[in-house]
Amino acid sequence: MADNTAERFATLIETIATSGEVSHMGSFPTPNVQMYGLKLKDKHMPRLCSALARNTNLTALSVGHNEIGDEGLRQLCAVVATHPTLTMLSIAANNITDVGISHLCTCLAENHNIVTLWMEQIRITDDGAEELCEVLRDRPHLKTINIGQNKRLTERGHRALATVQAAFPDAGVRCDAAKFAEYVKEFNEFLPPK
């Protein structure tokens, strides 16, 4: 992180801890924290997590388009797992692999408030997608999961995601598979009538 970015980061951290209203970019539900594109790395997570733990009013958190890896996500998930008000989490466009997805799954199993996930442009594979879907199938209140632009997902991963969409038709599962709607339709045929 460049020196001027480090200063901005320190200011943002203090703002997060005290008021929780930080919009670096875009618009999310308030109170929200958007740390979009700040080149955050795993080494920055302890300070961010400490501030997040002190802010119990936060509803949306975006750490998208940074350089956070699996260890950084593990640290973040430790806070998010018990956060009382967080409903939206964006980890898009980071260096997160299936190892990080395992941390996220543990977090989601504990925190049932999260209803919106943005996970596009990470390094998830079919194995990570299947593990994630196991957790998501137990979340009927899921509103949106955006897992598009993940080039390591194949038909197997997209089919797993289609089972979640089929189980919760009101949920918005977004991914890139050209045949995703066809997969959802296939799974719907096997579901019991409502």
Side-chain angles (χ1 to χ4, degrees):
M1 200 180 288
D3 286 342
N4 64 342
T5 305
E7 281 181 33
R8 270 184 45 216
F9 178 69
T11 301
L12 287 173
I13 291 298
E14 187 54 35
T15 304
I16 291 166
T18 57
S19 70
E21 194 64 35
V22 177
S23 287
H24 176 66
M25 173 173 190
S27 61
F28 286 98
T30 56
N32 70 78
V33 173
Q34 297 179 54
M35 309 285 288
Y36 188 96
L38 293 178
K39 298 184 178 165
L40 298 177
K41 296 178 173 33
D42 292 354
K43 68 181 182 179
H44 301 113
M45 290 300 102
R47 284 187 69 194
L48 176 60
C49 292
S50 174
L52 292 172
R54 290 183 282 157
N55 181 324
T56 58
N57 298 318
L58 186 67
T59 59
L61 173 62
S62 173
V63 292
H65 295 265
N66 283 294
E67 298 170 15
I68 299 167
D70 297 329
E71 175 57 21
L73 185 60
R74 182 194 64 75
Q75 294 173 52
L76 185 63
C77 285
V79 173
V80 171
T82 58
H83 200 282
T85 57
L86 193 66
T87 60
M88 182 275 184
L89 177 64
S90 173
I91 58 170
N94 277 293
N95 299 321
I96 297 165
T97 70
D98 292 346
V99 171
I101 296 303
S102 289
H103 300 309
L104 180 63
C105 289
T106 301
C107 168
L108 293 174
E110 292 180 43
N111 185 333
H112 293 270
N113 297 327
I114 304 287
V115 294
T116 303
L117 282 172
W118 291 81
M119 304 171 47
E120 67 276 9
Q121 298 178 6
I122 59 174
R123 295 168 39 202
I124 189 172
T125 69
D126 294 337
D127 292 338
E130 287 177 338
E131 182 178 0
L132 180 65
C133 289
E134 287 299 316
V135 174
L136 295 178
R137 284 189 197 105
D138 294 331
R139 301 180 69 91
H141 53 282
L142 179 70
K143 289 183 183 173
T144 305
I145 177 170
N146 186 341
I147 196 164
Q149 301 177 28
N150 281 297
K151 297 175 184 174
R152 291 167 177 84
L153 288 179
T154 69
E155 180 179 341
R156 188 177 110 217
H158 287 114
R159 281 185 177 275
L161 292 163
T163 64
V164 173
Q165 181 67 68
F168 308 115
D170 294 335
V173 179
R174 301 178 185 137
C175 63
D176 294 333
K179 294 189 172 190
F180 184 69
E182 183 181 314
Y183 301 153
V184 172
K185 185 178 176 186
E186 276 179 35
F187 287 110
N188 278 333
E189 292 171 4
F190 295 103
L191 291 175
K194 293 183 180 183

